Amino acid sequence: MRWIAVALLSLLSLPAMADGVPRDGALGFQPAASPLMEEITSFHNILLWIIIPVTIFVLALLIIVAVKYNAKANKVPSKFSHNTMIEIVWTLVPVIILLFIAYFSFPLLYRGDVFPDVDEAEVVNVKAQGNQWNWTYTYTDVIVDDYPVEFVSNPIHRGLPDEPEGTADAPRNLAVDLPMVVPVDTVVRVQTAASDVIHSFAVPAFGIKTDAVPGRLNELWFLANETGTYYGQCSELCGKDHAFMPIEIRVVTQAQYEAWLERVTGNSVEDARQYLAEITNESPVQLASVQ
């Protein structure tokens, strides 16, 4: 039994991904890249220690009942209808367990739903509009010629035979031509919307997921505490190319973010893409043939 326990704990401790890219066969959540996701991971670990003994206990009861109280072992069936003490126990114990879970889950739900109390001047505001099948990012606070900075983030891979292969710099079905860029250690407000059907903006490493609904603005927030590249995908079935609608977010330093903004506000998408490649030591991405 000891080796079984060791193997189970080893599996539970395996990281789900490295460098923001999911790995085949991995277990658990992606490594947290935000304080909110760290809390979600901690809550998940607490639930594991609750559900594992509950599952083992219920399985043991089923086996005992099936073996000890089957028709072959009991020629004459019992005729009692209930047991008051057992009914009290199996009512109170689940209630206590649920109250214990609620003690941790309700504050977490509140923190994820309520925008933090920070200086609005330091918040980065981005509108993420889902389209079939790409994302339009609008930096609502960055105004150029009376209009906010806006660009379309297209997937590199679309399931086509002539598209580029997936690489470490541009993982298959996850990379885009121009990602959302945000500064590290900064609260980012994302307002989601859609131009056609319902989409969903989800980035596992940040612990965020909110529907993008036509005619309605939903809101989420995150604070990335590590620089790097993080991936997500549309998480609401939205049509034939739903599988090719990734989200890529680059978290950079404040100085790099300001330098990137200068290039984007100059209406030079190619220059902005080249700059991202330089600061992350990557090769500029090759776009899919169909835009």
Side-chain angles (χ1 to χ4, degrees):
M1 292 298 293
R2 180 178 298 177
W3 70 267
I4 295 177
V6 172
L8 179 60
L9 290 174
S10 299
L11 286 174
L12 292 177
S13 63
L14 286 175
M17 61 177 288
D19 301 325
V21 182
R23 302 297 182 187
D24 290 341
L27 297 176
F29 289 133
Q30 295 181 1
S34 72
L36 183 61
M37 187 57 194
E38 290 174 357
E39 292 188 44
I40 293 173
T41 302
S42 177
F43 178 60
H44 169 264
N45 294 338
I46 292 173
L47 290 183
L48 274 180
W49 288 110
I50 295 174
I51 197 61
I52 288 175
V54 169
T55 303
I56 294 174
F57 176 70
V58 172
L59 177 61
L61 286 180
L62 290 173
I63 294 174
I64 291 172
V65 170
V67 172
K68 188 174 180 181
Y69 298 102
N70 58 60
K72 185 177 180 180
N74 295 269
K75 302 299 183 181
V76 179
S78 299
K79 296 183 179 180
F80 66 88
S81 60
H82 66 278
N83 184 299
T84 302
M85 181 56 65
I86 290 179
E87 292 184 2
I88 292 174
V89 170
W90 75 32
T91 300
L92 288 181
V93 171
V95 168
I96 293 172
I97 293 174
L98 291 174
L99 288 174
F100 180 79
I101 294 173
Y103 176 80
F104 295 97
S105 65
F106 283 2
L108 179 58
L109 288 170
Y110 178 83
R111 281 190 287 274
D113 189 56
V114 177
F115 197 78
D117 184 16
V118 295
D119 185 356
E120 279 291 333
E122 299 176 357
V123 175
V124 173
N125 292 286
V126 182
K127 179 185 175 183
Q129 177 176 288
N131 316 298
Q132 291 180 309
W133 289 270
N134 55 32
W135 293 91
T136 299
Y137 296 126
T138 306
Y139 286 69
T140 56
D141 294 332
V142 185
I143 308 299
V144 178
D145 296 331
D146 297 327
Y147 292 96
V149 169
E150 181 177 279
F151 57 87
V152 178
S153 180
N154 289 296
I156 297 172
H157 305 101
R158 301 173 183 269
L160 302 174
D162 59 341
E163 66 189 15
E165 296 290 332
T167 65
D169 296 342
R172 187 166 184 81
N173 295 340
L174 291 175
V176 300
D177 58 353
L178 192 59
M180 178 195 296
V181 179
V182 298
V184 69
D185 294 327
T186 301
V187 174
V188 180
R189 178 191 283 114
V190 180
Q191 292 180 322
T192 63
S195 61
D196 33 51
V197 299
I198 298 177
H199 302 278
S200 185
F201 190 88
V203 183
F206 298 149
I208 56 175
K209 180 181 182 294
T210 298
D211 283 348
V213 182
R216 175 176 177 175
L217 278 182
N218 287 333
E219 185 175 294
L220 60 88
W221 71 273
F222 67 89
L223 185 153
N225 51 19
E226 296 182 19
T227 58
T229 303
Y230 302 95
Y231 299 98
Q233 288 180 308
C234 175
S235 297
E236 185 72 35
L237 187 60
C238 58
K240 70 180 185 67
D241 282 348
H242 166 67
F244 308 105
M245 191 175 168
I247 300 164
E248 181 178 344
I249 299 180
R250 299 285 182 95
V251 181
V252 298
T253 65
Q254 183 64 36
Q256 291 171 334
Y257 172 70
E258 293 173 359
W260 175 83
L261 272 183
E262 290 181 3
R263 288 160 171 78
V264 173
T265 53
N267 295 321
S268 176
V269 174
E270 289 295 337
D271 189 20
R273 186 183 297 117
Q274 179 66 40
Y275 177 71
L276 286 178
E278 292 173 359
I279 64 177
T280 53
N281 298 318
E282 300 174 354
S283 302
V285 297
Q286 300 297 317
L287 305 188
S289 59
V290 178
Q291 295 295 322

